[in-house]
Amino acid sequence: MLKFVFWLLAAINLLVLAIGQGYLGSFRSETREPARLQSQLQPGKIKLLSEAQAQAIVTPPAATPETPATPAAPQSYACTEVGNFVLADGRRFEAQLDALALGDRQSRRNVAGQEISSYMVYIPSQGSKEGADRKAGELKQLGVTNYFVMGEGSPIRWGISLGVFKSEDSAQSQLAALNKRGVHSARVGPRYSSSKLLSYQFRDLDAATHARLVEIKAKFPEQELRSCK
């Protein structure tokens, strides 16, 4: 009986030892190390890397140096025009341009212009000489005798002039007086006289010279600086 118990205990110990060493497999989800190595996919392709090779993998590639940008070309102004000057102002402007020493890059041209010389109180064109004469008769009936019928050569053909005045205020006063006398078709308009104006053009200016031209032009605020062709 003792021998049976002894051998039973020995068998149990051997069984426990075999299970612990994994000889009889495992009841857990993990497998023994030899079996796990055998289950790897393509184990022959596993390659050990040297320290230098491993460092090359984790080191990011050096950044490619940027190509320096091409410097922008200096700004230039192909054609700049200033004007229009009356003769006296043009001479003053031209004298200050001497400091720029532009030579043949500077030119002057005459520009036809018009200036207001006076203001006229008038009745617009009546369409024909008969219509103008008829309107003149109405003026006489209202006691207005200072008038003039404008004929063929006038810009307001077959209109009636009721007076020419140097200032607009004087013309408006005359119009108000005529309204009080019953003349309601009259109006005030400017009269122009032909005049010669001067314009200056400048070619191929660099930025510094253009800036100096702007400074000179600033002394003549009523003039316009513009691009030209």
Side-chain angles (χ1 to χ4, degrees), residues 93 96-97 99-100 211-220:
F93 178 72
Q96 298 191 36
L97 296 175
L100 301 181
R212 294 177 63 189
L213 175 63
V214 172
E215 291 178 359
I216 295 174
K217 182 267 168 194
K219 300 175 183 178
F220 302 85

Side-chain angles (χ1 to χ4, degrees), residues 39-60:
S39 67
Q40 292 178 350
L41 297 176
Q42 299 179 339
K45 293 187 178 181
I46 297 176
K47 182 179 179 182
L48 296 178
L49 301 179
S50 65
E51 182 179 352
Q53 291 173 324
Q55 186 66 27
I57 293 175
V58 299
T59 303

Side-chain angles (χ1 to χ4, degrees), residues 3 31 44 48 52 54 68 81 86 98 103 113-115 128 145 158 163 167 171 175 203 206 224:
K3 289 182 179 182
T31 61
L48 296 178
E81 186 173 35
V86 296
D98 292 342
Q114 289 186 323
E115 293 182 345
S128 65
T145 57
W158 307 126
S167 69
L175 179 62
R203 302 279 178 178
D206 56 36
E224 177 189 7

Side-chain angles (χ1 to χ4, degrees), residues 108-126:
R108 181 184 69 192
R109 65 189 186 95
N110 295 331
V111 180
Q114 289 186 323
E115 293 182 345
I116 296 176
S117 59
S118 58
Y119 294 86
M120 180 172 63
V121 181
Y122 69 99
I123 294 175
S125 174
Q126 299 301 298

Side-chain angles (χ1 to χ4, degrees), residues 51-109:
E51 182 179 352
Q53 291 173 324
Q55 186 66 27
I57 293 175
V58 299
T59 303
T64 304
E66 295 183 1
T67 304
T70 304
Q75 185 176 9
S76 62
Y77 298 84
C79 183
T80 304
E81 186 173 35
V82 181
N84 304 317
F85 295 87
V86 296
L87 183 59
D89 288 344
R91 288 174 177 172
R92 289 173 46 227
F93 178 72
E94 194 168 346
Q96 298 191 36
L97 296 175
D98 292 342
L100 301 181
L102 296 175
D104 58 2
R105 291 185 294 161
Q106 171 184 326
S107 61
R108 181 184 69 192
R109 65 189 186 95

